[in-house]
Structure formats: structure tokens, C-alpha cells
Amino acid sequence: MERTFEQLIDINTKIAVLAGGMSNEREVSLRSGKNCLAALQRLGYKNSVLIDVDENIVQKLKDEKIEVAYNALHGKYGEDGCIQGVLEILGIKYTGCGVMSSALCMNKHYTKEMLKSAGIPLINSVFVRKGESVSEKVKDLRYPMMIKPVCEGSSIGMFKVHNEKELLEKFSESEKLNQDILIEEFLVGTCATVGVLQDKDELFATAILEFRTKTEWYDYEAKYTEGLTEFILPASFNEEMTSKIKDIAIKSHMACGCNSLSRVDFLVVDNIPYVLEINTSPGMTDLSDLPAQAKCIGISYDQLVQLILNSAGLQK
């Protein structure tokens, strides 16, 4: 049964769907933005426009006399607190997470620090700043390990290493992205992701999406090569584990101060659901996870867009 949600934003409001941007995820963001704009117009928000975000974004927002921004940006400048700060300065209400939670969740290390304080299950890892000795840092971790740049998505710059020689070689390669690095023990388990949504004061989880890959881990190739990953929705977990994952997803969302929506990624190993990271601006394309997860619990694409838009009306 399809759910319905109250419209908290006036139907005549001038809304800008912010898309495109200047990150590596520009093309995906444009697809998300076009879909969101079409949904807003179907919902009756005829004063909605799509704005391709660039260095002139402030002037564009002023010229269009924008009252509410619907954030469909992904990656740098869009989900790291930058565009949120601009909108705060301009006094424009916006959808999704705020400055602090956006910046926090963009960084895998700082996300884990917040989750650790909330008692969330996490894989053993160490944080290596540029210039620090990686060999010294990882002496208490077990091989194999995963190398993860702290602020990259789509598995960019990630490597699995089996010994110190590979560690030094791949760490040097990953450092070229000019970022600090997270080194994490490699565990074998079930990859899954779940959305967290907000309806007024109620937080709830979507259906869980499970990934079964033909590659050794859920890498860039597995994510973007047709046929290399099987998607199971809803996931094949039993009722107890399903409830546990959803509960941890909501607790993680809250621990990082997220608002409106997020997507929490898990690796389930020996009945322990480890949180990997939190995405504060999930994709909204035809093939994206969140719309499929929402549809599985009776929320259509248009109703999902309405729910996300409502988050702008909940800002204080």
C-alpha cells in the first residue's frame, strides 16, 4: 500500500533543484536532479527549476529569487557542508542534512569516531594523516586490510592489501588523491545498505538492500559494471537481523546529527552488522538504491521526493 505524506511546503514556493556541481559525481547528480524536478512538477510545484551548481551559484539563487533549495548534489561541495553553508548564509531553506552532519559524514574517520561513542559496531581501523608512517600505524591490525581515502566515494582510491609490501605500494598510490587515509581490516561478510527517512518527528528505516558481488569485494568495477552485482530487495536476513540492522541504521543517523534522510552501509559478519559509512545525499536516479528501498515499503518515487522536500519545512 502506497503511503501519503502531508505537503509542508506551499505549492507556489519557488524551488531550486540543485544538481550537477563540480565533483566527480556530477553526471549522476544531473540525472538525480532531473528526476527530482520532474517529480516536483508532477506533485504540483510548478515554480520549480533546476540549477546547475557552479562558482556563480549565489548569483543564480538570487536571480531566480529561490525560497527553498532541493539538494540533489553528490560528492564534494554538495554533501560536505559547503552548499549547506552557502544556503544558511543566504537564508534559504534546504532539504536534507545540515552543515555539521554533512561535513562529518563525508569523512569516514570522523564518522567512525562519532559512531564509536554511540556504541555502534565498527570494523577495527586506524587513521593515517599525510606524512605519518603507515607501517607503524597498522601494527595492531591484521592482514588483509582495506585502504580507504577518507573523503572519496564510489570506491575511488580503495585497495585491498595482503602484506606490508602491498600496503606501502598501494598507500602511496592512494595518497595521490591528497587525502588522509583510513586503514581497515578486511572482513568477509554480506554487504547491505538501508535508508533512513523522516516524516515530521518520526524516523524510520526503508527495506534493506543486499549486494552479492562476483568480485572479491564491492569495488568500483562491481558497482558500475552490469552483471557483476546481484541485488536482493528486501535482503535475505532473518527477522531478528533485519530489525537489528534497521535499529542500528537509525541510531547511526541520530549519532551523526543527520536530518531528513541518509543511507547507511553495512557489512554483516558472523551476525554482527558493522557500519561502514553514512551517505547524506543518496542518489535519486532510476537505478539508485534509495528509491528502490522506499518503493519496497510502499513509498513511490514522487512520495519520496515529497517527503524529502518536507524536510526543508521542518527547519527551525
Side-chain angles (χ1 to χ4, degrees):
M1 179 179 176
E2 185 176 307
R3 302 191 187 194
T4 57
F5 301 103
E6 181 183 348
Q7 291 184 325
L8 300 183
I9 301 295
D10 187 272
I11 207 74
N12 296 311
T13 301
K14 190 64 182 290
I15 301 171
V17 177
L18 304 183
M22 298 168 281
S23 79
N24 293 330
E25 300 176 69
R26 171 179 169 77
E27 294 306 317
V28 175
S29 173
L30 284 171
R31 294 203 301 273
S32 290
K34 288 173 183 176
N35 281 4
C36 293
L37 177 65
L40 287 171
Q41 292 178 340
R42 287 192 298 268
L43 288 165
Y45 295 97
K46 300 303 181 185
N47 290 328
S48 301
V49 296
L50 188 141
I51 293 182
D52 190 342
V53 175
D54 59 19
E55 65 272 15
N56 299 312
I57 183 58
V58 171
Q59 194 58 50
K60 288 182 178 181
L61 291 167
K62 288 181 177 180
D63 290 345
E64 292 284 353
K65 296 181 170 57
I66 297 303
E67 299 171 278
V68 169
Y70 188 108
N71 187 16
L73 292 164
H74 308 312
K76 192 173 183 180
Y77 305 124
E79 57 179 309
D80 59 0
C82 288
I83 193 65
Q84 292 81 4
V86 169
L87 295 167
E88 294 269 1
I89 290 169
L90 294 175
I92 296 174
K93 292 185 176 182
Y94 57 91
T95 62
C97 292
V99 176
M100 185 277 291
S101 57
S102 298
L104 175 69
C105 292
M106 191 70 177
N107 186 297
K108 296 178 181 68
H109 168 65
Y110 294 134
T111 300
K112 291 188 77 165
E113 288 298 299
M114 290 299 293
L115 295 178
K116 186 189 299 182
S117 68
I120 303 297
L122 301 167
I123 298 173
N124 291 335
S125 64
V126 294
F127 178 54
V128 187
R129 295 188 184 277
K130 288 189 66 180
E132 290 185 324
S133 168
V134 64
S135 297
E136 184 66 21
K137 280 277 191 171
V138 303
K139 62 184 181 181
D140 293 327
L141 298 185
R142 296 176 298 176
Y143 287 100
M145 303 175 191
M146 291 299 300
I147 296 175
K148 298 181 176 183
V150 294
C151 294
E152 281 292 342
S154 298
S155 301
I156 294 170
M158 284 178 58
F159 301 100
K160 180 184 178 185
V161 296
H162 301 84
N163 51 55
E164 186 174 17
K165 180 177 181 295
E166 288 185 6
L167 173 68
L168 295 175
E169 176 186 319
K170 295 301 184 182
F171 182 83
S172 178
E173 191 171 336
S174 193
E175 264 194 321
K176 293 175 184 176
L177 292 169
N178 200 34
Q179 291 188 19
D180 296 326
I181 307 293
L182 186 74
I183 311 288
E184 195 170 72
E185 290 184 349
F186 178 85
L187 301 181
V188 177
T190 303
C191 294
T193 184
V194 58
V196 177
L197 298 172
Q198 182 176 350
D199 182 20
K200 296 182 181 175
D201 293 330
E202 178 198 1
L203 283 174
F204 62 95
T206 66
I208 303 169
L209 177 62
E210 177 184 343
F211 309 97
R212 295 179 185 172
T213 70
K214 296 180 181 178
T215 55
E216 192 174 11
W217 53 283
Y218 194 44
D219 58 6
Y220 186 92
E221 185 182 13
K223 289 178 180 178
Y224 297 109
T225 304
E226 187 175 356
L228 286 187
T229 301
E230 179 186 1
F231 300 95
I232 298 92
L233 183 65
S236 61
F237 301 113
N238 62 31
E239 186 175 340
E240 181 182 1
M241 180 56 66
T242 296
S243 177
K244 191 173 185 179
I245 290 171
K246 290 183 177 182
D247 181 56
I248 290 174
I250 291 172
K251 287 180 178 176
S252 299
H253 177 100
M254 295 174 64
C256 291
C258 296
N259 178 58
S260 173
L261 78 158
S262 69
R263 199 195 70 232
V264 185
D265 297 342
F266 288 85
L267 183 68
V268 183
V269 183
D270 296 331
N271 290 318
I272 301 175
Y274 294 104
V275 173
L276 298 176
E277 59 183 278
I278 301 176
N279 187 318
T280 58
S281 186
M284 292 290 286
T285 72
D286 295 333
L287 300 176
S288 294
D289 297 340
L290 185 63
Q293 292 167 318
K295 184 178 180 180
C296 193
I297 60 170
I299 301 175
S300 70
Y301 188 93
D302 287 6
Q303 289 305 111
L304 177 60
V305 168
Q306 179 67 67
L307 188 60
I308 295 170
L309 178 65
N310 282 351
S311 67
L314 295 173
Q315 288 182 6
K316 295 179 181 179

